[in-house]
């Protein structure tokens, strides 16, 4: 991955000035490269990583395994797009192994998830079975530990 | 009848030790540690925690009951792994069974090397600015320290021409440290080849402290031990502290021809016995996995190096672009303060800690050492503050 993308992936708020310094390029070049990545859709957005457990939103996240019958033309894609368009689905992947799609679904409560599965997901033509698991606690999200430990303090001056 | 004249506690201290002044870093540490909210660029160790697989490897060893001594030389499996690593990385072949000694950091390796070779009065050359221990450990081994200035104008390089005038019939060895702490300088193949030829011509031993070897940013690190004729007159010292972020494990190694390793081991076995077994297990884990973490840390250092270099240039400071280790060593002599006063006032006024260049020997005066083994967020604030401070000093 390009070093500029690595910097933004680590900190999306990094300024073009600082990025230019780190990569030893001009500020204009840094801005142009970022604009280019946005234009061609490699950078698809900028989001904060929020520890939602701390916000106590009373929301639930479910991970749903879905089996489908692939179609003769288009395979999994048409049905995949259809499921993915539901706003409840925050992430979705086609998987190898015992099931086809893995969905991350966010909702206000268990009942809403149950309604989504029984009334929307299961009724889609081609969906043959679902298996729903509820998340209990987030330990790590997007490469960041969500559980904080006391950091061991370094010496302030050492040879 | 006994006499009344009695010695004070101080009088019992060995004369050679009394000659050694206290470390400039220690004095500075005492001041900084009293202060809160300081951004420290004074740290000579990675800000990264040791990669998890290495820590986990050490925990696993502890769970299996790895709590005893190891052989004096160190775990055989570790020495064999180091032999492979040194051959693949630096193109030098050592017999893992007889030519490698596991030490408690490179610091112990340096001490062992010097004590193994020095007869009282032997002269040992080293280049300065340098790591704080070089002069003192030579003195403690009853040798005569002979510093060679590496001038800023030459990019803190060491050349044959700089070494040659210091050679006398009493010269026993030359200590090399590239990439360098505190200057961040590396050595070119041409300079290294010239120095190697000189060592052969004048029959001196090289003690090469290459602890920062993996943290070389522009080009590939070459060890002097890999050059023609040098393997048999070099004690190659390396370890895990810097590239693997394992300073607290205190684990290093020495590679050299068997008679030298045997001599160093003689001291090691009577003074240290062996390096801690858990640290040896951790080091083995470090070598047994692909160096993914090292590359990630190195890539972070490169970005910080570029950022710090550009920031300091923008402040109007004169500095060489560091090409290795994780230090910038800008010149501040034109601002009218000694390096110590600069560091003290910067700390007092801007709460940024840097190490005065004078801590790294007389030839470090006029500079400050800024470690960029510090997170980008802190580096940004530190550069802003140093910039303001320098602006106030500028005539």
């Amino acid at each position: 991955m390009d070093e500029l993308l690595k910097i933004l992936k680590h900190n999306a708020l990094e300024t073009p000035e600082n990025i230019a310094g780190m990569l030893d390029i001009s500020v204009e070049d840094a801005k142009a490269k970022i604009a280019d990545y946005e234009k061609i859709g490699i950078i698809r957005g900028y989001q904060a990583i929020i520890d939602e457990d701390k916000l106590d939103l009373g929301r639930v996240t479910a991970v749903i395994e879905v089996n489908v019958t692939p179609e003769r033309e288009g395979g999994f894609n048409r049905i995949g797009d259809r499921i993915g368009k539901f706003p409840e689905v925050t992430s979705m992947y086609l998987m190898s192994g015992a099931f086809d799609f893995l969905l991350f679904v966010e909702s206000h409560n268990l009942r809403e998830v149950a309604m989504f599965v029984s009334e929307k997901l299961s009724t889609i033509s081609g969906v043959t079975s679902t298996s729903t698991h509820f998340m209990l606690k987030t330990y790590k999200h997007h490469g960041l530990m969500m559980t904080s430990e006391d950091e061991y303090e370094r010496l302030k001056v050492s040879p | 009848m006994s006499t009344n004249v009695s010695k004070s506690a101080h009088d019992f201290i060995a004369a050679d030790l009394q000659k050694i002044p206290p470390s400039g870093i220690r004095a500075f540490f005492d001041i900084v540690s009293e202060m809160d909210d300081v951004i420290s660029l004074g740290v000579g160790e990675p800000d990264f925690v040791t990669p998890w697989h290495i820590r986990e490897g050490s925990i696993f060893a502890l769970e299996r009951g790895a709590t005893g001594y190891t052989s004096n030389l160190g775990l055989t499996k570790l020495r064999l792994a180091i032999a492979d690593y040194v051959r693949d990385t630096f193109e030098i072949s050592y017999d893992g069974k007889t030519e490698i000694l596991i030490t408690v950091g490179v610091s112990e390796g340096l001490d062992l090397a010097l004590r193994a070779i020095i007869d009282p009065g032997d002269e040992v050359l080293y280049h300065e600015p340098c790591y704080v221990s070089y002069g003192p450990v030579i003195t403690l081994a009853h040798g005569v320290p002979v510093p060679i200035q590496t001038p800023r104008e030459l990019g803190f390089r060491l050349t044959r021409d700089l070494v040659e005038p210091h050679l006398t019939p009493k010269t026993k060895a030359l200590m090399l440290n590239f990439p360098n702490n505190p200057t961040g300088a590396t050595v070119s193949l041409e300079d290294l080849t010239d120095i190697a030829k000189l060592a052969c011509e004048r029959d001196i031993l090289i003690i090469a402290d290459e602890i920062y070897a993996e943290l070389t940013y522009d080009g590939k690190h070459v060890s002097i031990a890999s050059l023609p004729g040098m393997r048999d007159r070099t004690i190659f010292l390396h370890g895990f502290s810097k590239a693997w972020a394992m300073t607290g494990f205190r684990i290093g190694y020495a590679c050299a021809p068997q008679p030298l390793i045997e001599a160093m081991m003689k001291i090691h076995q009577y003074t240290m016995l062996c390096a801690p077994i858990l640290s040896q297990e951790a080091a083995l884990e470090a070598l047994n996995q692909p160096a993914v973490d090292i590359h990630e840390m190195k890539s972070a250092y490169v970005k910080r190096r570029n950022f710090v270099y550009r920031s300091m240039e923008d402040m109007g400071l004169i500095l060489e672009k560091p090409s290795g280790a994780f230090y910038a060593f800008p010149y501040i002599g034109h601002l009218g303060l000694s390096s110590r006063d600069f560091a003290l006032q910067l700390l007092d006024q801007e709460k940024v800690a840097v190490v005065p260049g004078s801590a790294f020997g007389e030839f470090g005066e006029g500079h400050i050492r800024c470690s960029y083994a510090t997170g980008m967020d802190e580096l940004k604030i530190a550069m802003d503050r140093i910039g303001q401070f320098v602006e106030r000093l500028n005539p």
Side-chain angles (χ1 to χ4, degrees):
Chain A
M1 194 190 290
D2 181 13
E3 292 296 322
L4 183 143
L5 289 175
K6 280 191 204 163
I7 293 172
L8 286 175
K9 197 171 173 211
H10 179 72
N11 177 10
L13 293 177
E14 197 61 270
T15 63
E17 287 73 19
N18 287 337
I19 292 173
M22 285 188 255
L23 300 180
D24 202 14
I25 57 177
S26 72
V27 179
E28 290 69 37
D29 281 353
K31 284 181 178 166
K33 275 183 93 173
I34 295 167
D36 206 33
Y37 279 130
E38 288 169 351
K39 194 174 159 201
I40 59 179
I42 287 177
I43 295 177
R44 304 193 78 91
Y46 301 88
Q47 295 182 336
I49 298 166
I50 294 167
D51 184 352
E52 294 197 0
D53 289 1
K54 281 210 175 98
L55 288 176
D56 206 14
L57 294 172
R59 295 171 73 86
V60 292
T61 302
V63 183
I64 306 175
E65 300 163 4
V66 182
N67 272 306
V68 300
T69 311
E71 295 170 338
R72 187 177 175 89
E73 283 178 23
F76 292 98
N77 288 344
R78 200 187 61 83
I79 193 166
D81 285 346
R82 193 167 164 200
I83 296 173
K85 279 180 184 150
F86 284 105
E88 294 91 333
V89 178
T90 56
S91 303
M92 176 171 174
Y93 310 91
L94 177 65
M95 310 293 288
S96 67
F99 54 91
D100 300 317
F101 293 124
L102 186 69
L103 275 56
F104 287 72
V105 170
E106 278 188 16
S107 200
H108 291 98
N109 51 47
L110 290 180
R111 206 175 59 83
E112 269 190 21
V113 176
M115 294 286 281
F116 170 74
V117 173
S118 62
E119 297 193 1
K120 293 174 178 164
L121 189 58
S122 304
T123 55
I124 293 170
S125 160
V127 171
T128 55
S129 70
T130 65
S131 173
T132 304
H133 313 267
F134 287 97
M135 276 194 198
L136 302 181
K137 180 177 174 181
T138 308
Y139 287 90
K140 194 173 185 180
H141 189 56
H142 283 272
L144 290 179
M145 292 301 291
M146 291 290 143
T147 48
S148 50
E149 289 169 9
D150 287 343
E151 271 193 27
Y152 214 85
E153 201 182 345
R154 275 202 305 170
L155 294 177
K156 284 181 183 149
V157 179
S158 64
Chain B
M1 199 177 82
S2 64
T3 60
N4 287 330
V5 183
S6 64
K7 287 180 177 174
S8 73
H10 185 265
D11 295 332
F12 287 106
I13 297 168
D16 269 349
L17 191 57
Q18 291 194 33
K19 277 193 282 185
I20 298 173
S23 159
I25 283 204
R26 180 75 189 275
F28 203 67
F29 172 78
D30 290 341
I31 300 166
V32 176
S33 57
E34 295 290 301
M35 295 179 70
D36 291 325
D37 304 325
V38 170
I39 292 188
S40 182
L41 309 186
V43 187
E45 64 176 333
D47 56 314
F48 299 101
V49 179
T50 309
W52 173 243
H53 76 90
I54 298 173
R55 285 186 278 156
E56 205 271 339
S58 187
I59 294 168
F60 182 60
L62 184 60
E63 283 174 344
R64 279 177 311 164
T67 59
Y69 295 130
T70 71
S71 97
N72 295 129
L73 285 171
L75 294 170
T76 307
K77 56 188 179 179
L78 175 59
R79 284 181 281 135
L80 294 176
I82 287 170
D84 288 348
Y85 179 77
V86 170
R87 186 196 59 230
D88 296 346
T89 312
F90 304 110
E91 296 167 26
I92 326 163
S93 287
Y94 292 104
D95 178 351
K97 293 208 167 126
T98 59
E99 296 181 314
I100 295 177
L101 167 67
I102 309 299
T103 59
V104 179
V106 169
S107 289
E108 193 213 352
L110 271 174
D111 181 38
L112 296 178
L114 289 165
R115 281 202 275 166
I117 63 160
I118 290 178
D119 286 313
D122 282 347
E123 292 173 3
V124 177
L125 312 184
Y126 61 101
H127 49 96
E128 197 183 281
C130 66
Y131 183 64
V132 294
S133 81
Y134 284 12
V137 282
I138 297 168
T139 303
L140 289 174
H142 307 293
V144 179
V146 181
I148 304 167
Q149 181 180 16
T150 51
R152 171 172 45 84
E153 294 77 11
L154 291 180
F156 301 109
R157 283 163 53 216
L158 184 68
T159 62
R160 176 183 173 126
D161 289 347
L162 289 170
V163 178
E164 211 158 4
H166 293 88
L167 292 171
T168 76
K170 286 187 169 174
T171 306
K172 191 89 168 245
L174 167 66
M175 291 160 74
L176 294 178
N177 170 224
F178 292 105
N180 181 258
N181 176 6
T183 64
T186 51
V187 65
S188 72
L189 179 60
E190 294 71 34
D191 288 341
L192 205 59
T193 306
D194 287 347
I195 293 166
K197 280 183 191 151
L198 181 65
C200 293
E201 286 164 25
R202 304 294 286 266
D203 212 9
I204 57 171
L205 184 82
I206 300 288
I207 299 173
D209 169 358
E210 302 189 21
I211 186 66
Y212 291 98
E214 288 81 3
L215 302 180
T216 297
Y217 307 125
D218 308 315
K220 187 178 179 293
H221 175 82
V222 177
S223 172
I224 194 164
S226 68
L227 299 182
M230 292 310 291
R231 183 195 174 281
D232 290 339
R233 61 169 68 249
T234 302
I235 299 177
F236 172 83
L237 301 174
H238 199 15
F240 296 85
S241 292
K242 309 298 179 176
W244 284 268
M246 291 174 66
T247 46
F249 283 87
R250 309 304 307 122
I251 191 85
Y253 53 88
C255 305
Q258 188 184 5
L260 285 167
I261 288 296
E262 205 48 45
M264 289 168 68
M265 200 270 283
K266 223 189 265 181
I267 307 168
H268 177 74
Q269 72 179 352
Y270 293 133
T271 54
M272 196 63 69
L273 215 159
C274 66
I277 189 169
L278 287 178
S279 298
Q280 295 195 47
E281 289 283 356
L284 185 64
E285 170 63 29
L287 291 181
N288 278 346
Q289 294 288 325
V292 181
D293 307 290
I294 292 191
H295 294 310
E296 275 178 17
M297 290 190 270
K298 187 173 164 183
S299 145
Y301 291 137
V302 170
K303 290 178 195 128
R304 297 170 185 182
R305 184 271 310 249
N306 292 343
F307 174 76
V308 166
Y309 176 66
R310 185 176 288 192
S311 303
M312 289 184 164
E313 269 202 321
D314 290 348
M315 292 173 209
L317 295 180
I318 302 159
L319 79 158
E320 280 299 312
K321 189 172 193 175
S323 46
F326 35 61
Y327 309 105
F329 202 61
Y331 179 66
I332 48 94
H334 61 296
L335 296 169
L337 294 175
S338 70
S339 63
R340 184 177 157 77
D341 287 344
F342 183 99
L344 286 173
Q345 290 185 25
L346 178 66
L347 182 63
D348 183 50
Q349 296 174 26
E350 298 289 347
K351 297 215 165 188
V352 175
V354 298
V355 180
S358 54
F360 307 99
E362 183 193 340
F363 299 129
E365 183 49 47
H367 302 81
I368 50 167
R369 189 192 74 175
C370 303
S371 161
Y372 49 87
T374 306
M376 264 311 289
D377 293 338
E378 291 200 308
L379 276 180
K380 286 179 209 162
I381 302 170
M383 289 303 121
D384 282 348
R385 292 185 184 175
I386 295 175
Q388 290 166 19
F389 181 71
V390 167
E391 204 170 303
R392 286 202 298 276
L393 288 178
N394 259 324

